[in-house]
Amino acid sequence: MGSDRFYPEEAPVHEVTVGAFAIDRHPVTVAEFRRFVKDTGHVTDAEKPPMAEDYPDADPELLVAGSLVFRRTTGPVPLDDYRAWWAWVPGAEWRRPEGPGSTVGGRERHPVTHVTHADAAAYAAWAGKALPTEAEWEYAARGGLDGATFTWGEELAPRGRMMANTWQGEFPWQNLLLDRYERTSPVETYPPNGYGLYDMAGNVWEWTDDWFTGPSGGSPCCAPAAGERFPRRVTKGGSHLCAPNYCLRYRPAARQGESIDSSTGHIGFRCVVRY
């Protein structure tokens, strides 16, 4: 588990043992999450106004229900200020991933997004499952290729074929769309790994149930840096916003600490059952 070849938070390489478990073939989809909401009446955190006491430095006018939405820039920008490409959008949530006026119509088989760790855990409990540990997630993602760079091997695009939904070009302004998708893609669009699992790289980051420890790794990747007001959980897998010039994290060893209150357009989840 881990890697010594890329980002400091992935090191050192170490051995881990996991018990027997089954894991979802793909991230939880919009259609699956809709059934959960219909059955339980669950209201996601993105649909609730933030509490003023939790964000004492925030503009009171921004303390409304909403979520973080990626906005592609018109040209190159410094990569040390995520505010150039992330916007807090009032009204953005899992049904309206780009904000008011958007819809998930036609995206029923895309991964659900704009869910916090608590939202993901609530779904897992309803389904009689659990969120994976980081070790379970990484073991599953490797698909039997112990130590390989990607979930499918060492070459990014074997024979010119894109193997995952990631960013091609210069982030955050130039997306060449070699994989055909600018945002999320339907689950099972790309080939499965050796264990028959889909989207273990790219598309959306995925929540795990482990607390994040270790060095921050400097750049907060393609997501806003997690504040210290809230603890952080490990997310895995990278997303459609990960690019080689900024976030080469669509690899099984890659990891990121995400604030538990975070909901964005590039974070989803999948579940496990332990035996």
Side-chain angles (χ1 to χ4, degrees):
M1 184 173 177
S3 174
D4 293 320
R5 294 183 291 157
F6 292 92
Y7 300 105
E9 69 271 18
E10 301 168 16
V13 175
H14 56 288
E15 290 191 357
V16 176
T17 300
V18 297
F21 68 97
I23 190 167
D24 291 344
R25 286 163 53 90
H26 55 69
V28 172
T29 64
V30 168
E32 291 168 333
F33 197 79
R34 180 184 287 134
R35 288 195 291 271
F36 157 64
V37 170
K38 183 177 180 180
D39 188 52
T40 65
H42 181 83
V43 178
T44 62
D45 287 332
E47 298 171 80
K48 306 171 187 174
M51 302 290 288
E53 55 266 34
D54 290 335
Y55 303 92
D57 300 325
D59 182 343
E61 293 185 0
L62 295 179
L63 293 177
V64 296
S67 192
L68 288 164
V69 175
F70 174 79
R71 299 281 175 82
R72 185 154 57 123
T73 62
T74 57
V77 295
L79 296 178
D80 57 359
D81 187 357
Y82 65 82
R83 292 173 297 182
W85 56 85
W86 281 106
W88 174 259
V89 177
E93 38 107 337
W94 71 273
R95 299 179 190 85
R96 301 186 293 179
E98 288 79 56
S102 65
T103 176
V104 289
R107 288 187 272 184
E108 289 81 5
R109 284 189 52 77
H110 287 232
V112 68
T113 56
H114 297 288
V115 288
T116 64
H117 181 271
D119 296 323
Y123 175 96
W126 169 79
K129 302 178 181 181
L131 295 180
T133 65
E134 181 179 6
E136 287 170 338
W137 196 100
E138 185 167 331
Y139 180 86
R142 290 189 177 280
L145 298 179
D146 197 24
T149 298
F150 302 108
T151 62
W152 55 85
E154 293 299 327
E155 190 177 353
L156 174 62
R159 298 180 181 178
R161 182 181 185 183
M162 299 307 300
M163 300 294 285
N165 180 2
T166 61
W167 184 288
Q168 300 90 50
E170 292 293 316
F171 182 86
W173 67 280
Q174 179 196 52
N175 192 338
L176 301 176
L177 300 179
L178 300 180
D179 59 7
R180 298 182 292 126
Y181 292 95
E182 184 166 11
R183 297 191 178 97
T184 58
S185 52
V187 298
E188 302 187 8
T189 294
Y190 301 92
N193 72 1
Y195 292 154
L197 305 175
Y198 294 85
D199 297 288
M200 298 301 283
N203 212 356
V204 292
W205 284 95
E206 298 183 18
W207 288 109
T208 74
D209 216 27
D210 281 12
W211 297 108
F212 181 82
T213 59
S216 65
S219 165
C221 186
C222 46
E228 297 305 317
R229 184 171 298 277
F230 293 91
R232 294 182 287 171
R233 299 275 190 177
V234 175
T235 55
K236 298 283 283 184
S239 81
H240 60 281
L241 299 181
C242 284
N245 74 308
Y246 186 54
C247 176
L248 210 168
R249 286 183 169 90
Y250 37 89
R251 298 172 293 101
R255 57 199 302 266
Q256 183 166 266
E258 194 68 47
S259 176
I260 60 172
D261 70 320
S262 293
S263 64
T264 76
H266 75 334
I267 299 178
F269 68 100
R270 74 179 73 206
C271 303
V272 298
V273 173
R274 300 183 180 98
Y275 300 109

